Amino acid sequence: MSARDANRQFWQFGEWVDVVIDDRLPTREGKLLFVHSAEGTEFWSALLEKAYAKVNSSYEALSGGSTNEGFEDFTGGIAETYNLGKAPPYLFKILQKALGLGSLLGCSIDITSASETEAVTRQKLVKGHAYSITAAEEVHLHGTPVQLVRIRNPWGQVEWTGPWSDNSREWDGVQPEEKARLDYSAEDGEFWMSLSDFQQQYSKLEICNLTPDTLTSDEVARWNHCQFDGVWRVGSTAGGCRNNAATFCSNLQFVIKLEDVDEEPNDGEDGCTFLVGLMQKDGRTERRFGRDLNTIGFAIYQVPDEYEGRSNVHLGPDVLLRQRPVAMSSTFINLREICGRFKLPPGEYIIIPSTFEPHRKGSFILRVFSEKQAATSPMEEDISVEVEEHKIAESDVDPHFKHLFMQIAGNDAEISVFELQQILNKVITHRSDVKTDGFSLETCRHIISLFDMDGSHKLGLVEFHALWTKIQKYLEIFKSVDTDNSGTMSTHEMRGALTVAGFQVNSDVIQVIVSRYANAEYAIDFDCFVGCLIRLEMLYKMFKTLDTNGSGKIELNILRWLCLALN
């Protein structure tokens, strides 16, 4: 018999993935090994499990996890978890609003040992069992309002026998029209219980909030939803949590603008409610290779007044380390996703997702769900260069400097690339406060390309004077950043040093710089620092020359491209 193909979509890290499987299922002695139905001729659950195993690389990869992972992978929603022993006082409002938004709600009773799995309590609740919540309503018992929650056992049987269960005496005190509206006595595995009993009997509440594209009904409200991909790269954007002051500000930053307050606040106080979910990618796949999940979390800071309305900046230690976060994830934890619900006054805030420790690589998705429209975007710089030009005449050069130059340059009064390398290396090796492997010929050629104004491929007096002035400035910047007097600069300090030197770049450029100029310990020595800045300035000037109409775009034929690339 030929196998038949079946198609299923799963949400995987920000996108819907098509999974095609056949109907061959793993068995032993004619019985299904894994998920199976009580009905011997029903196979949909086993086929669904096979598709889920395929998207996660194996059946083994499905071992462990949480209800929330399934919620999200099957719906694309964002899941939040509440410990009912520490539930917020406005839990009933959260339940009602979630149901009104079409969210999926589940609850369960924790077990303390494997033997308690699916054990039935005296009042017919099943431990370690996944229940769903289908309604939250207020009724009147002899005129007094009571908050009720409707819960469903997916078995379709074994129902709660306590207060407000089917046909319990509490219903005798409720008006007939309310009883009819709530359908309180159907024998279908669905039952009502008071909110207080719900919080006492159950341990955990899970809410999966759905994205607008998932909902087809016009009868439910919709969250506003934004999603961003990001990467923690060692040496550039893997800055760790705030405990790591030297690297924390290197993390990627995302701005959210909250303008409209909630229409019906859960707690009765004005504010803007939003959810933040931080998910690390490919956790199950990484586990196959013995790599654990990163410990992840996020912090939220208020944007200072002087930066409001701008998304082309990157907040540094002068801002972030001088104020405390206004909100943050409840903890840093090694789960696939961590999610939090927050309520803040209208304003602009930045969200900083990070690993707990610095220098931990990984990919992530940041998702933001807001009750009202809230503009969210990466908070990153535009690329720009503002470098000082030291244009002086030969007559303005200091006589002592001119005398030294003539001694170095020789009869032709110009310095070649080989002479420049000797001069720079001789000067820098006499300094014990900076480390260097020596200036390479490539760096010296870039220097001459940048400062050679007359096309001689050498440096004359004025050209060498401009170079010397610039190197003195770069040395001051390098020393100011090298706060531990190691003689090198951490790659995480490179962004700040570039800014002082007049170069505003984004994280993509920083990553290229780290790959090109950092050593194995992610440190940059002085000659690499100078070489980087010279190269940046040269590339910027090339671009400005070719961008004749100031559009920010250039077009090159193959000849011009090769000439530029080889320069």
Side-chain angles (χ1 to χ4, degrees), residues 295-471:
T295 302
I296 60 172
F298 55 85
I300 303 174
Y301 289 80
Q302 186 159 15
V303 176
D305 293 344
E306 60 269 29
Y307 292 107
E308 283 192 357
R310 298 173 59 187
S311 60
N312 65 331
V313 295
H314 187 95
L315 301 187
D318 57 323
V319 175
L320 298 181
L321 299 184
R322 292 182 181 177
Q323 61 170 294
R324 299 201 61 79
V326 295
M328 59 192 307
S329 53
S330 58
T331 184
F332 277 76
I333 193 167
N334 59 338
L335 293 177
R336 182 177 82 155
E337 183 178 42
I338 187 166
C339 178
R341 177 184 290 255
F342 305 97
K343 187 177 200 178
L344 294 174
E348 291 189 20
Y349 303 88
I350 63 164
I351 305 169
I352 304 180
S354 73
T355 57
F356 182 74
E357 298 174 336
H359 320 306
R360 300 280 295 185
K361 69 176 182 178
S363 300
F364 66 86
I365 289 175
L366 182 73
R367 296 190 289 166
V368 180
F369 284 55
S370 56
E371 288 199 10
K372 293 289 188 178
Q373 191 69 37
T376 311
S377 63
M379 194 153 182
E380 193 59 281
E381 301 104 319
D382 292 333
I383 296 175
S384 65
V385 178
E386 295 180 7
V387 293
E388 295 181 19
E389 297 287 348
H390 294 277
K391 293 184 178 180
I392 61 172
E394 184 174 337
S395 57
D396 296 327
V397 176
D398 180 78
H400 180 63
F401 184 90
K402 187 174 182 179
H403 176 70
L404 290 175
F405 174 81
M406 296 306 296
Q407 286 184 319
I408 296 169
N411 296 331
D412 64 350
E414 288 196 309
I415 294 176
S416 70
V417 63
F418 304 102
E419 292 171 327
L420 178 62
Q421 183 185 36
Q422 292 176 349
I423 294 166
L424 294 178
N425 286 337
K426 185 175 182 180
V427 170
I428 204 66
T429 53
H430 284 93
R431 297 193 66 106
S432 59
D433 53 347
V434 293
K435 291 184 178 179
T436 177
D437 294 328
F439 284 82
S440 66
L441 273 177
E442 181 186 19
T443 296
C444 293
R445 286 193 174 101
H446 289 157
I447 290 173
I448 288 181
S449 294
L450 179 62
F451 289 92
D452 176 25
M453 297 294 105
D454 57 9
S456 66
H457 302 293
K458 295 182 179 181
L459 298 183
L461 172 61
V462 174
E463 295 163 340
F464 186 74
H465 186 276
L467 166 64
W468 198 253
T469 302
K470 184 149 292 190
I471 287 180

